[in-house]
Amino acid sequence: MTAQTLPKTGKEVRLARYVTDQPSREDFEVAEVEVAAPTAGNVVVHNRYLQVTAVMRDLMAEDPGLPMMPGYKVGERPWGGAIGVVVASDSPDLAVGDTVQHLDGWTEYSTGPAGQYFKVEPAWYPGLEYFLNQGITAYHGMADVAEVGEGDVVFVSNAAGGVGSLAGQIAKARGAKRVIGSAGSAEKVAYLTEVLGYDAAFNYKDGPVAEQLAKLAPDGIDVFFDLVGGEHFEAAVQVAAQGARFALGGAVSAQTGDAQGAFPRLDIMTGIIRQIVIKPFSTYHTPEQIQAWNQHFAQWLQEGKIVLPHTVVEGGVEAAPEALINLLRGAYKGNVLVKIS
């Protein structure tokens, strides 16, 4: 066994109670846990960054109802994306100093079988934070589900979020003619057009979504990448071009406010007449999906076709709950990471 000097304890965040509305700081607790040398086949990883995403709100419910995504348990730490460095190893598969990506989230030190950690090369990207992005979901939805391509007019809801900020750029990189995004503030609207390369954007708080979208897409939209649901979905149906493809990847309006986004009204006759193809999807981070995204992401970064919008929250693992709360309030742009050290 090889190891660096391990601390006696490390901090982790646990779910203190199930969440039925907006999460609050009282829904979490910070615990001090022992950091022990690994047993046979295991490693200890010192995390550098954790990722927080909107779906974590759903997983905090007593019965999330999300197949393939286990909900969080009271008294246990939430799982989620993280990246760190192996500091102790009793496995031939990973050595001390290896950088690894994993899903054993909200903790300073993660211990487990070597097989649950995916070794990465730091040289692949400009920084470790680039590994923790939501591009796999954005790419799968845009490329595999919506099949965006040359000449498409694309509309992305929640376009300044972790998935949407990459989805629009992916559409442009794949040849979309016009990409339109919605966001919740003038600052984010400017961010979409000035930094992320969106052709047009609007603040959904400025007026009816359908009216604003119709002005920016007078000939209709060919692709709708939805992360909001509710009024955005209803508006996209009204502005859809013939044969439009809808990729439904999220419903953040159902996670906040009165949850009406979970039940948007579908104008069935309009959908039939325009032959709209509606495809809800989930992304399970299969090896094929991970490989496809990493290949395109690295290439597009080198070619200057894409940037990774992200916000880094300082403060260690204790800052994770507040980071998630602020994410759900719409306080950030792009991917949200918590820096551990």
Side-chain angles (χ1 to χ4, degrees):
M1 180 178 70
T2 57
Q4 298 178 3
T5 301
L6 296 177
K8 293 183 178 180
T9 62
K11 294 178 180 178
E12 70 177 24
V13 174
R14 297 172 177 171
L15 185 67
R17 61 189 181 188
Y18 290 116
V19 178
T20 58
D21 195 5
Q22 286 283 71
S24 67
R25 191 62 184 82
E26 288 69 34
D27 297 323
F28 306 90
E29 60 185 10
V30 178
E32 199 85 18
V33 295
E34 179 185 6
V35 179
T39 55
N42 287 8
V43 299
V44 178
V45 175
H46 185 195
N47 286 327
R48 296 294 191 262
Y49 291 95
L50 311 178
Q51 184 181 36
V52 294
T53 63
V55 75
M56 289 178 167
R57 162 61 188 88
D58 296 318
L59 299 174
M60 291 173 184
E62 188 169 5
D63 182 16
L66 296 175
M68 303 293 291
M69 298 185 75
Y72 300 145
K73 302 298 183 184
V74 171
E76 299 179 4
R77 66 172 179 259
W79 61 268
I83 192 165
V85 176
V86 176
V87 292
S89 175
D90 198 1
S91 167
D93 299 322
L94 290 173
V96 169
D98 284 346
T99 301
V100 293
Q101 194 171 344
H102 61 93
L103 291 173
D104 189 25
W106 291 20
T107 180
E108 288 182 316
Y109 289 87
S110 170
T111 301
Q116 76 179 29
Y117 304 94
F118 179 69
K119 183 179 177 180
V120 299
E121 293 297 334
W124 289 352
Y125 295 123
L128 292 185
E129 64 272 26
Y130 278 71
F131 286 93
L132 296 180
N133 63 74
Q134 297 182 69
I136 298 173
T137 299
Y139 184 83
H140 176 54
M142 270 296 181
D144 302 328
V145 180
E147 299 181 329
V148 68
E150 296 286 340
D152 281 333
V153 176
V154 179
F155 172 43
V156 180
S157 62
N158 193 26
V163 177
S165 59
L166 288 168
Q169 296 184 80
I170 291 168
K172 293 292 288 186
R174 286 176 58 89
K177 178 175 67 175
R178 182 169 174 80
V179 179
I180 303 164
S182 70
S185 71
E187 178 190 6
K188 289 182 178 179
V189 167
Y191 181 70
L192 292 177
T193 56
E194 296 172 7
V195 177
L196 301 187
Y198 273 75
D199 297 292
F202 63 89
N203 182 350
Y204 66 84
K205 298 176 183 178
D206 287 346
V209 174
E211 293 181 8
Q212 297 192 74
L213 179 59
K215 291 179 181 178
L216 297 177
D219 297 323
I221 59 172
D222 303 298
V223 169
F224 177 39
F225 191 101
D226 190 19
L227 298 163
V228 175
E231 184 186 0
H232 282 74
F233 175 86
E234 296 167 5
V237 172
Q238 297 304 314
V239 186
Q242 194 72 17
R245 292 100 67 200
F246 283 23
L248 310 185
V252 71
S253 63
Q255 298 168 319
T256 59
D258 59 9
Q260 288 302 305
F263 308 101
R265 294 162 295 182
L266 170 60
D267 181 345
I268 296 177
M269 187 54 67
T270 298
I272 292 172
I273 293 172
R274 297 183 185 175
Q275 301 184 73
I276 299 173
V277 178
I278 300 176
K279 294 183 179 180
F281 73 95
S282 293
T283 307
Y284 296 121
H285 292 71
T286 65
E288 293 78 15
Q289 291 172 347
I290 294 171
Q291 182 178 1
W293 167 240
N294 282 333
Q295 176 184 348
H296 287 90
F297 186 36
Q299 178 181 340
W300 287 334
L301 278 173
Q302 292 177 356
E303 295 172 350
K305 293 182 177 180
I306 199 168
V307 297
L308 177 64
H310 62 282
T311 301
V312 175
V313 178
E314 304 278 353
V317 69
E318 304 99 314
E322 198 67 29
L324 177 61
I325 292 167
N326 288 333
L327 166 67
L328 294 172
R329 290 173 178 166
Y332 303 125
K333 297 188 290 287
N335 199 45
V336 181
L337 307 170
V338 177
K339 188 175 182 179
I340 302 302
S341 63

